[in-house]
Every structure is written in C-alpha cells, then in structure tokens.
Amino acid sequence: MSHKAGFVSIIGKPNVGKSTLMNALIGEKLSIITPKAQTTRHRILGIVNEENYQIVFSDTPGIIKPKYQLQDSMMSSVNGALSDADLILFVTDIHEGHDENDVLEKIEKTTIPIIVLINKIDTATQQDVEEKTAYWTEKLNPKHVFAISALHEYNLSGIMDTVLNFLPEHPAYYDKEDLTDRNQRFFVSEIIREKIFNNYQKEIPYSTEVVVTSFKEEEKMTRISAEIIVERDSQKNILIGKGGSMLKKVGTEARKDIEKFLDQKVFLETFVKVLPDWRSKKNYLKSFGYEN
C-alpha cells in the first residue's frame, strides 16, 4: 500500500482561529489560544499519523506588517512554512473585511494548492457564508472552500480527506510516534505565556517572553524553574502584582495545566527579569529560539 506524507501550512491574519483549528485537526492542544491577537510567535508543527499517511500541519504566527525585530522573525517563520508546504490552508474570519493584503501578497502568486477555510460561521448568516465563499473563490481560485467553526469543530470532517488528496506519495518525515517537533520545555514555556496573555492587559503580554531555565524530572514530581522576561521595571512590577499576588495567580494556573500536559505532579517556580528592549535585539531573539 502506498504511503502519503506532506506539509500543510495554516496561515491567515491574527485572531482568525488558526491555532484553534490546528488543535481540532490533530486532536491535541499544542498551540496556545487566547482572545488576544498575535498569541502565536513560533511555527509549531502538529503531526497526524495513520498507517498509510502522515500530515504535518504548521501553525504559523498571524500575518502582519512587522514593526520590530521580533515581528520580523515571526514573519520569517511564516515564509519558511510556505516554502516547504505541499498545501496551504488559508483561514479567514467570516466577519473580516477584505483588507487581507498582507496575507494575499504572500499567497496570490503561489503555485501551491490553496484550500480556503472561512471560520467562525456559527456567528453568521447563510447569506454571509455564500457571499464570502463567492468572494474567495473568485479572488484565489482555491481547490476548495470550507465554511467552518473551529471552536465548535463544525464541518471539519471533510478537511482531512481533501488534504489527503493533495499530499504526495512519500515516506513519513517524522517518527510515527511524534506528535510535534517541539520538546516539553517549549510547551511549558508556552503554557506560562498563555496565562500571561489571559491575565494581563495592554502591552504586558506582548513585552514578555518565557524561558524555562531548569526542568528536572524526579520520580514523583517534575521541578521547573522559569524566567519571565520583560522590557521595563514598570512591567515587572505589574507582572508581580501587589505582594506577588498576580505572579502567584499565573504560576498556579500554569502549574495546573502543566501537570495535565506532563501527566505528573509539578513544582513550578517563576522569576521576573528585565531585559531592556529585548524584542528589538537579535542576540536575545536568537537565544530565545526565534528564526532569523
């Protein structure tokens, strides 16, 4: 029996539900999800393995015009995901205006097959869906258009079959046991970052980076230390909160999710460190694992 394998890049603007979609397609929570735009900073692979195929999904940062070095790096990872893709899943929000030029610049001239996924249709009328379907059909000439709700896992079943039609015959790229290309430390730092996005407002989530400095697996417990990096002392004070209350709340929420993820008891310590202007400094970005 022949074996199919290929790379499928999930792209779109921020906040269209790409991460929710990837988690639903692979049946695991790999990408963190928050109500705020630009939550995803790295390209994260989610791997679906079956006996006769392997689909490697890439969740990429939402496409924007970069304003500083970190965002440049985020857009590099989008370009990387497009360069090796066998298929593009372009996710758009049913309520978006047609101002997706930043995205369209990247995909309009591509020869890679495109499937358009119109997301969040649980909050729209049938007429909205028909209008958007007609618009994207004319604009991108995609291989298929699906109207979906990633959050409610509505109308996702046909996507996998359609994806398989466009994958080449190829041996598996990754071990059949692999679910992702990232290690446990990466997901621990992402879980902590998700809690920061959910607990703080304005600039704080965007100014923070989380680095796991220690990860010790003992017989009955995993001991983890993490640094939360910010750009200014004022941000550090807000992050810690009165008497350490906010940092404690973030730590408690993160620890519970990390215990679920690792399926083990966790002792989590968090520290806050100031690195002025880290988002614009290539040496810091490189040490935090951002693409050049």
Side-chain angles (χ1 to χ4, degrees):
M1 186 192 283
S2 64
H3 187 281
K4 288 187 162 195
F7 289 86
V8 179
S9 289
I10 304 173
I11 72 159
K13 278 173 63 171
N15 248 13
V16 293
K18 297 187 312 313
S19 300
T20 309
L21 173 74
M22 181 164 101
N23 292 343
L25 289 175
I26 61 173
E28 294 279 347
K29 184 177 175 185
L30 288 184
S31 293
I32 62 173
I33 296 163
T34 78
K36 295 182 175 68
Q38 288 174 52
T39 303
T40 305
R41 286 183 182 168
H42 296 268
R43 177 186 181 185
I44 299 171
L45 300 189
I47 304 167
V48 176
N49 287 302
E50 292 295 340
E51 193 183 339
N52 56 346
Y53 66 83
Q54 180 178 78
I55 307 173
V56 185
F57 288 105
S58 287
D59 183 20
T60 57
I63 294 174
I64 48 171
K65 283 257 188 284
K67 291 193 175 74
Y68 43 83
Q69 197 69 44
L70 170 61
Q71 291 183 338
D72 272 334
S73 164
M74 286 158 63
M75 291 311 98
S76 284
S77 69
V78 175
N79 294 335
L82 287 175
S83 68
D84 60 21
D86 295 294
L87 179 68
I88 294 168
L89 295 186
F90 167 53
V91 185
T92 178
D93 182 333
I94 185 81
H95 301 296
E96 292 243 82
H98 300 309
D99 60 341
E100 311 213 17
N101 293 339
D102 302 348
V103 184
L104 295 179
E105 274 173 22
K106 291 196 185 297
I107 61 174
E108 257 180 326
K109 294 185 176 67
T110 184
T111 54
I112 303 165
I114 296 172
I115 294 174
V116 173
L117 306 179
I118 302 169
N119 194 18
K120 306 185 185 178
I121 64 158
D122 49 302
T123 58
T125 65
Q126 184 61 31
Q127 188 183 348
D128 291 338
V129 173
E130 286 168 9
E131 282 173 7
K132 273 281 160 55
T133 302
Y135 174 82
W136 287 116
T137 301
E138 187 187 348
K139 186 85 182 165
L140 288 175
N141 191 23
K143 299 296 180 189
H144 210 293
V145 178
F146 285 93
I148 64 165
S149 168
L151 183 64
H152 299 291
E153 300 195 6
Y154 171 75
N155 208 20
L156 302 187
S157 54
I159 295 174
M160 293 297 252
D161 291 340
T162 310
V163 164
L164 280 172
N165 290 337
F166 291 97
L167 292 195
E169 290 193 6
H170 198 283
Y173 288 96
Y174 292 89
D175 191 292
K176 283 288 200 168
E177 300 303 308
D178 289 350
L179 187 63
T180 180
D181 61 329
R182 299 282 183 172
N183 60 21
Q184 289 181 326
R185 278 178 175 236
F186 173 81
F187 289 108
V188 166
S189 68
E190 286 287 274
I191 289 167
I192 299 168
R193 209 164 60 77
E194 179 182 63
K195 303 310 168 198
I196 293 167
F197 263 75
N198 285 333
N199 278 288
Y200 299 91
Q201 296 305 313
K202 297 184 180 146
E203 187 58 17
I204 295 286
Y206 300 103
S207 305
T208 51
E209 179 62 48
V210 178
V211 178
V212 173
T213 52
S214 168
F215 190 100
K216 292 186 180 132
E217 295 177 73
E218 298 172 5
E219 197 180 333
K220 294 187 176 163
M221 178 186 285
T222 301
R223 292 180 182 274
I224 300 169
S225 291
E227 280 181 350
I228 300 171
I229 314 288
V230 291
E231 294 191 309
R232 297 195 295 277
D233 284 321
S234 57
Q235 292 167 345
K236 179 177 178 176
N237 296 336
I238 295 168
L239 205 74
I240 292 170
K242 197 173 179 185
S245 59
M246 283 301 287
L247 191 61
K248 189 175 178 187
K249 182 171 187 279
V250 164
T252 303
E253 288 178 13
R255 178 183 54 76
K256 286 177 182 167
D257 275 15
I258 295 165
E259 285 182 337
K260 270 189 225 158
F261 178 72
L262 297 176
D263 200 19
Q264 196 186 20
K265 203 162 173 46
V266 166
F267 176 77
L268 175 65
E269 286 182 297
T270 51
F271 305 93
V272 184
K273 180 176 173 181
V274 179
L275 287 179
D277 211 22
W278 69 264
R279 288 183 294 176
S280 297
K281 295 190 172 160
K282 283 186 177 174
N283 57 330
Y284 286 141
L285 291 168
K286 195 173 176 192
S287 71
F288 298 152
Y290 289 99
E291 295 193 28
N292 218 338

